[in-house]
Amino acid sequence: MAAEGRVIKYEWGDDLKEAFEQVGLAMYGYMTELHTVDAERTETIIAEGDDLLSLLFHFLDELLFLFCAEPFFIGQEIEIMEFDKDNLKIIADVHGETFDLDKHPQGTEVKAITYSNMQVYDDEEKHEVYVIIDI
């Protein structure tokens, strides 16, 4: 499901924390084949929001920033260490390495995270996120 210049991503998990981790990995999966990435070092990110949508936006934006800023870090695993839904704060460790075209196949460039039709479901029956990213 792709619109011109956009990719629609839908992920879920056993809880909302896992759904956030999975959508972050899915975004990195557009950038390269994750099986080629080794967990050589860990970067820690902090994201805060005013509601669950802005928390998701800022979480993904921090992950994208890791890739876009030197040394172009690509994550292979995302582990949310603190998921505070009351104070709307996430602290996550991202395990990966510096992106290297000699090692990692170049996938699709992710230009931006969008709020367009962003959805977060967190109830007893489902924990899902729906995000459209600009490519």
Side-chain angles (χ1 to χ4, degrees):
M1 296 172 63
E4 185 178 316
R6 293 193 160 175
V7 173
I8 300 167
K9 194 62 194 158
Y10 169 77
E11 287 295 332
W12 62 93
D14 290 335
D15 56 25
L16 194 58
K17 177 179 86 74
E18 186 177 327
F20 273 53
E21 291 169 341
Q22 292 301 312
V23 80
L25 285 177
M27 181 182 70
Y28 280 147
Y30 281 112
M31 299 172 179
T32 194
E33 296 174 17
L34 294 181
H35 67 87
T36 66
V37 179
D38 294 318
E40 291 183 355
R41 73 175 203 272
T42 300
E43 296 286 336
T44 301
I45 63 164
I46 298 172
E48 297 180 273
D50 299 318
D51 54 29
L52 284 176
L53 293 180
S54 66
L55 182 61
L56 176 59
F57 176 91
H58 290 291
F59 173 70
L60 292 173
D61 198 48
E62 288 293 324
L63 294 174
L64 182 57
F65 179 77
L66 283 178
F67 183 79
C68 293
E70 286 194 51
F72 310 113
F73 183 83
I74 184 83
Q76 177 251 11
E77 178 186 355
I78 300 169
E79 183 179 6
I80 295 178
M81 309 305 288
E82 179 183 326
F83 192 92
D84 186 340
K85 289 192 290 187
D86 294 326
N87 296 305
L88 300 164
K89 182 177 180 179
I90 291 174
I91 299 174
D93 286 343
V94 185
H95 309 286
E97 65 183 327
T98 300
F99 184 79
D100 179 353
L101 281 174
D102 291 333
K103 180 179 181 186
H104 309 111
Q106 184 172 7
T108 303
E109 177 186 358
V110 175
K111 294 179 182 175
I113 312 304
T114 71
Y115 276 104
S116 176
N117 204 23
M118 183 181 283
Q119 300 169 34
V120 175
Y121 300 100
D122 184 34
D123 58 43
E124 289 182 23
E125 295 180 22
K126 63 181 175 179
H127 309 281
E128 303 171 345
V129 295
Y130 180 85
V131 179
I132 298 174
I133 55 176
D134 281 337
I135 57 172

